[in-house]
PDB file of all heavy atoms in Angstrom:
ATOM      1  N   GLY A 770     -13.048  17.692 -30.471  1.00 51.00           N
ATOM      2  CA  GLY A 770     -12.924  17.771 -31.919  1.00 51.00           C
ATOM      3  C   GLY A 770     -11.369  17.628 -32.244  1.00 51.00           C
ATOM      4  O   GLY A 770     -11.067  17.157 -33.355  1.00 51.00           O
ATOM      5  N   GLU A 771     -10.533  18.065 -31.385  1.00 47.00           N
ATOM      6  CA  GLU A 771      -9.075  17.896 -31.676  1.00 47.00           C
ATOM      7  C   GLU A 771      -8.617  16.490 -31.550  1.00 47.00           C
ATOM      8  O   GLU A 771      -9.130  15.720 -30.772  1.00 47.00           O
ATOM      9  CB  GLU A 771      -8.280  18.808 -30.778  1.00 47.00           C
ATOM     10  CG  GLU A 771      -8.551  20.348 -30.918  1.00 47.00           C
ATOM     11  CD  GLU A 771      -7.465  21.083 -30.312  1.00 47.00           C
ATOM     12  OE1 GLU A 771      -6.351  20.599 -29.944  1.00 47.00           O
ATOM     13  OE2 GLU A 771      -7.727  22.360 -30.234  1.00 47.00           O
ATOM     14  N   ASP A 772      -7.613  16.155 -32.319  1.00 43.00           N
ATOM     15  CA  ASP A 772      -7.052  14.735 -32.286  1.00 43.00           C
ATOM     16  C   ASP A 772      -6.400  14.529 -30.901  1.00 43.00           C
ATOM     17  O   ASP A 772      -5.457  15.133 -30.531  1.00 43.00           O
ATOM     18  CB  ASP A 772      -6.038  14.566 -33.454  1.00 43.00           C
ATOM     19  CG  ASP A 772      -5.566  13.170 -33.548  1.00 43.00           C
ATOM     20  OD1 ASP A 772      -5.905  12.300 -32.642  1.00 43.00           O
ATOM     21  OD2 ASP A 772      -4.929  12.775 -34.597  1.00 43.00           O
ATOM     22  N   PHE A 773      -6.928  13.544 -30.201  1.00 43.00           N
ATOM     23  CA  PHE A 773      -6.425  13.231 -28.844  1.00 43.00           C
ATOM     24  C   PHE A 773      -4.935  12.760 -28.875  1.00 43.00           C
ATOM     25  O   PHE A 773      -4.228  12.999 -27.919  1.00 43.00           O
ATOM     26  CB  PHE A 773      -7.249  12.144 -28.215  1.00 43.00           C
ATOM     27  CG  PHE A 773      -6.816  11.713 -26.782  1.00 43.00           C
ATOM     28  CD1 PHE A 773      -6.886  12.656 -25.810  1.00 43.00           C
ATOM     29  CD2 PHE A 773      -6.499  10.407 -26.535  1.00 43.00           C
ATOM     30  CE1 PHE A 773      -6.516  12.352 -24.536  1.00 43.00           C
ATOM     31  CE2 PHE A 773      -6.127  10.061 -25.221  1.00 43.00           C
ATOM     32  CZ  PHE A 773      -6.167  10.969 -24.214  1.00 43.00           C
ATOM     33  N   PHE A 774      -4.559  12.052 -30.037  1.00 45.00           N
ATOM     34  CA  PHE A 774      -3.268  11.558 -30.126  1.00 45.00           C
ATOM     35  C   PHE A 774      -2.236  12.391 -30.940  1.00 45.00           C
ATOM     36  O   PHE A 774      -1.226  12.015 -31.388  1.00 45.00           O
ATOM     37  CB  PHE A 774      -3.260  10.176 -30.690  1.00 45.00           C
ATOM     38  CG  PHE A 774      -3.988   9.169 -29.887  1.00 45.00           C
ATOM     39  CD1 PHE A 774      -5.273   8.723 -30.177  1.00 45.00           C
ATOM     40  CD2 PHE A 774      -3.426   8.578 -28.803  1.00 45.00           C
ATOM     41  CE1 PHE A 774      -5.920   7.929 -29.405  1.00 45.00           C
ATOM     42  CE2 PHE A 774      -4.133   7.682 -27.951  1.00 45.00           C
ATOM     43  CZ  PHE A 774      -5.307   7.289 -28.261  1.00 45.00           C
ATOM     44  N   ALA A 775      -2.631  13.707 -31.085  1.00 44.00           N
ATOM     45  CA  ALA A 775      -1.875  14.614 -31.930  1.00 44.00           C
ATOM     46  C   ALA A 775      -0.454  14.756 -31.423  1.00 44.00           C
ATOM     47  O   ALA A 775       0.475  14.798 -32.186  1.00 44.00           O
ATOM     48  CB  ALA A 775      -2.598  15.987 -32.080  1.00 44.00           C
ATOM     49  N   ASP A 776      -0.383  14.974 -30.065  1.00 47.00           N
ATOM     50  CA  ASP A 776       1.007  15.100 -29.446  1.00 47.00           C
ATOM     51  C   ASP A 776       1.834  13.965 -29.736  1.00 47.00           C
ATOM     52  O   ASP A 776       3.052  14.040 -30.032  1.00 47.00           O
ATOM     53  CB  ASP A 776       0.872  15.343 -28.019  1.00 47.00           C
ATOM     54  CG  ASP A 776       0.203  16.733 -27.666  1.00 47.00           C
ATOM     55  OD1 ASP A 776       0.154  17.535 -28.625  1.00 47.00           O
ATOM     56  OD2 ASP A 776      -0.319  16.841 -26.527  1.00 47.00           O
ATOM     57  N   LEU A 777       1.316  12.740 -29.627  1.00 45.00           N
ATOM     58  CA  LEU A 777       2.093  11.518 -29.762  1.00 45.00           C
ATOM     59  C   LEU A 777       2.529  11.407 -31.268  1.00 45.00           C
ATOM     60  O   LEU A 777       3.732  11.043 -31.570  1.00 45.00           O
ATOM     61  CB  LEU A 777       1.296  10.307 -29.423  1.00 45.00           C
ATOM     62  CG  LEU A 777       1.008  10.054 -27.983  1.00 45.00           C
ATOM     63  CD1 LEU A 777       0.100   8.845 -27.838  1.00 45.00           C
ATOM     64  CD2 LEU A 777       2.225   9.987 -27.208  1.00 45.00           C
ATOM     65  N   ARG A 778       1.616  11.747 -32.194  1.00 44.00           N
ATOM     66  CA  ARG A 778       1.938  11.693 -33.626  1.00 44.00           C
ATOM     67  C   ARG A 778       2.984  12.769 -33.987  1.00 44.00           C
ATOM     68  O   ARG A 778       3.812  12.467 -34.823  1.00 44.00           O
ATOM     69  CB  ARG A 778       0.588  11.877 -34.368  1.00 44.00           C
ATOM     70  CG  ARG A 778       0.747  11.477 -35.893  1.00 44.00           C
ATOM     71  CD  ARG A 778      -0.611  11.476 -36.564  1.00 44.00           C
ATOM     72  NE  ARG A 778      -1.435  10.392 -36.157  1.00 44.00           N
ATOM     73  CZ  ARG A 778      -2.643  10.524 -35.397  1.00 44.00           C
ATOM     74  NH1 ARG A 778      -2.903  11.765 -35.105  1.00 44.00           N
ATOM     75  NH2 ARG A 778      -3.221   9.525 -35.026  1.00 44.00           N
TER      76      ARG A 778
END
Side-chain angles (χ1 to χ4, degrees):
E771 293 196 15
D772 189 350
F773 180 61
F774 296 102
D776 291 343
L777 294 178
R778 195 169 291 112

